[in-house]
Amino acid sequence: GARMSEPIGIFGGTFDPIHNGHLRTAFELWQALRLAQVRFLPTGDPPHRGVSLASPELRLQMVRAAIAGLDAFVADDREMRRSGVSYSVDTLLDLRREYPERSLCLLLGMDAFLGMPHWHRWREILDLAHVVVAHRPGWKAPITGPLGEIMVDRGTGNVRDLHASSAGKVYVRAVTQLEISSTELRQLIIGGHDLRYLVPDAVRELILASGCYAQRSS
């Protein structure tokens, strides 16, 4: 229907495990930006961190369990199917081939956005997508350096700009901050604690059934 022309949100992460902080951010951006859908892309071999603890297959299974029930949320396994390191620019090139005309919105946290100048071929990203930065209270958008320039050249405060073109804008949006980190969740499990109310029930059940984060010898 009419939504076919609306932007697609791209939400990547290790999702090790996916939790309510990820989901609430995606939900608020989906609503505020009037996105047709949000695609959750679990990383295969993340370039920016060590080995994930849950297998890629289990992380994908957790994402699918977490988003079941909201048609606009879609699990996308393209990064896991690619061998080797997943770079955002390659994923966006791939999505751009699939959706040549659509607005694509790369959804990032402010900390990820601040790290963008260190990404592989990072300047090409704005040729391929808009960048939407989910903002935490206390973080300031950069005003100097390469990102400061991009904020001046590309920044917009208007959601309509994300619909009017397929790529090239930076939009910063405050979202409700649920201060949950996947690292802390793994520590809670190792300590024998229950993740109820921090992750969706279906994700909690998968974690318990698989024992994927239980105490390791290392």
Side-chain angles (χ1 to χ4, degrees), residues 41-57:
L41 283 85
T43 47
D45 173 14
H48 299 298
R49 53 163 274 188
V51 184
S52 64
L53 300 179
S55 69
E57 295 70 29

Side-chain angles (χ1 to χ4, degrees), residues 71-136:
D71 289 344
F73 282 8
V74 179
D76 186 324
D77 66 353
R78 76 185 66 222
E79 290 204 350
M80 295 173 36
R81 283 183 287 141
R82 189 186 301 132
S83 59
V85 173
S86 292
Y87 291 113
S88 298
V89 68
D90 296 323
T91 299
L92 289 169
L93 283 163
D94 199 38
L95 282 157
R96 185 47 77 201
R97 278 190 286 272
E98 200 170 316
Y99 301 102
E101 307 296 322
R102 289 291 279 275
S103 166
L104 299 178
C105 292
L106 182 64
L107 310 181
L108 300 177
M110 183 64 82
D111 42 357
F113 177 60
L114 294 175
M116 236 175 101
H118 304 291
W119 294 8
H120 181 61
R121 290 163 50 202
W122 73 279
R123 287 188 182 274
E124 291 172 51
I125 286 173
L126 280 161
D127 298 331
L128 296 165
H130 301 296
V131 172
V132 171
V133 185
H135 168 71
R136 305 174 171 207

Side-chain angles (χ1 to χ4, degrees), residues 22-195:
H22 297 130
L23 293 158
R24 182 67 202 180
T25 293
F27 183 71
E28 290 187 15
L29 292 175
W30 170 62
Q31 289 189 317
L33 277 48
R34 303 192 306 277
L35 302 174
Q37 59 175 213
V38 175
R39 302 186 79 83
F40 289 73
L41 283 85
T43 47
D45 173 14
H48 299 298
R49 53 163 274 188
V51 184
S52 64
L53 300 179
S55 69
E57 295 70 29
L58 184 56
R59 289 185 291 119
L60 179 65
Q61 205 183 342
M62 289 193 281
V63 168
R64 287 194 170 128
I67 65 178
L70 193 59
D71 289 344
F73 282 8
V74 179
D76 186 324
D77 66 353
R78 76 185 66 222
E79 290 204 350
M80 295 173 36
R81 283 183 287 141
R82 189 186 301 132
S83 59
V85 173
S86 292
Y87 291 113
S88 298
V89 68
D90 296 323
T91 299
L92 289 169
L93 283 163
D94 199 38
L95 282 157
R96 185 47 77 201
R97 278 190 286 272
E98 200 170 316
Y99 301 102
E101 307 296 322
R102 289 291 279 275
S103 166
L104 299 178
C105 292
L106 182 64
L107 310 181
L108 300 177
M110 183 64 82
D111 42 357
F113 177 60
L114 294 175
M116 236 175 101
H118 304 291
W119 294 8
H120 181 61
R121 290 163 50 202
W122 73 279
R123 287 188 182 274
E124 291 172 51
I125 286 173
L126 280 161
D127 298 331
L128 296 165
H130 301 296
V131 172
V132 171
V133 185
H135 168 71
R136 305 174 171 207
W139 288 85
K140 294 278 184 285
I143 51 173
T144 58
L147 291 178
E149 286 171 40
I150 277 177
M151 291 301 301
V152 171
D153 295 342
R154 310 282 199 149
T156 180
N158 193 336
V159 169
R160 281 191 298 254
D161 290 339
L162 305 177
H163 291 245
S165 62
S166 61
K169 294 288 185 190
V170 177
Y171 178 84
V172 178
R173 177 86 192 188
V175 296
T176 303
Q177 278 304 313
L178 303 179
E179 293 293 344
I180 304 169
S181 85
S182 297
T183 308
E184 285 166 18
L185 295 186
R186 296 192 299 266
Q187 291 302 322
L188 283 172
I189 295 162
I190 288 170
H193 299 289
D194 189 334
L195 298 193

